[in-house]
Amino acid sequence: MFDAQTLIVFTLACLALTATPGADMLLIAARSAAQGRLAGLVTYLGVAAGAFCHALFLALGLSQLFLAVPFAYDLIRYIGAAYLLYLAWQAFTARSSFAVRDAAEKKHSMLVIFRQGFLTNLLNPKVALFFLALFPQFLDPAAGSVGLQVLILATILNVVGLMTNGAVIVLVGSLRSFAAGAQSFSKWSRYILGTVFGALAARLLFDGQK
């Protein structure tokens, strides 16, 4: 379906893109600082699930809706910004850095973190346009199912993203472990996370040019 050269070029493109600091990496780093490596990993898994959804939208042709109907793009952008502002408010007003006391609460917290990473990616129309700009360059309708090709490329993107973001998670998680003894670390990690959510919301609101 794909020749080796195409896969190598696409993988290198994914490596360059995922290694460049962006909204997803910033969110993953902030979550890792606030709650540790597991939370950072779960955030990435949510982001990756959102990426698979964008790949599905591309395969179905829905991503082109943002180009054909500007209102749809703006609507998703405003919904995404409102959701991020809500997350920022939650982070700033929380009494602890999302600490959990038992297994049930921890499980619930990880599910919430996954959902936040998923929706943050899914509600960013710029991600849909990114898929629309990058993926078609590597698709060949004559080589078989376009939907399957999109799924394979999305899997490669997420695997490469796991490697680059995984390095960030390990690094930031190590710094968190080193600073965990400081009494003010919990409070400031929440403030940093809230600031990140707020900055991402502002980016969606004020950087809306396609």
Side-chain angles (χ1 to χ4, degrees), residues 65-66 69-77 125:
L65 179 66
F66 291 135
V69 185
F71 173 74
Y73 176 90
D74 288 333
L75 177 62
I76 298 300
R77 183 163 60 92

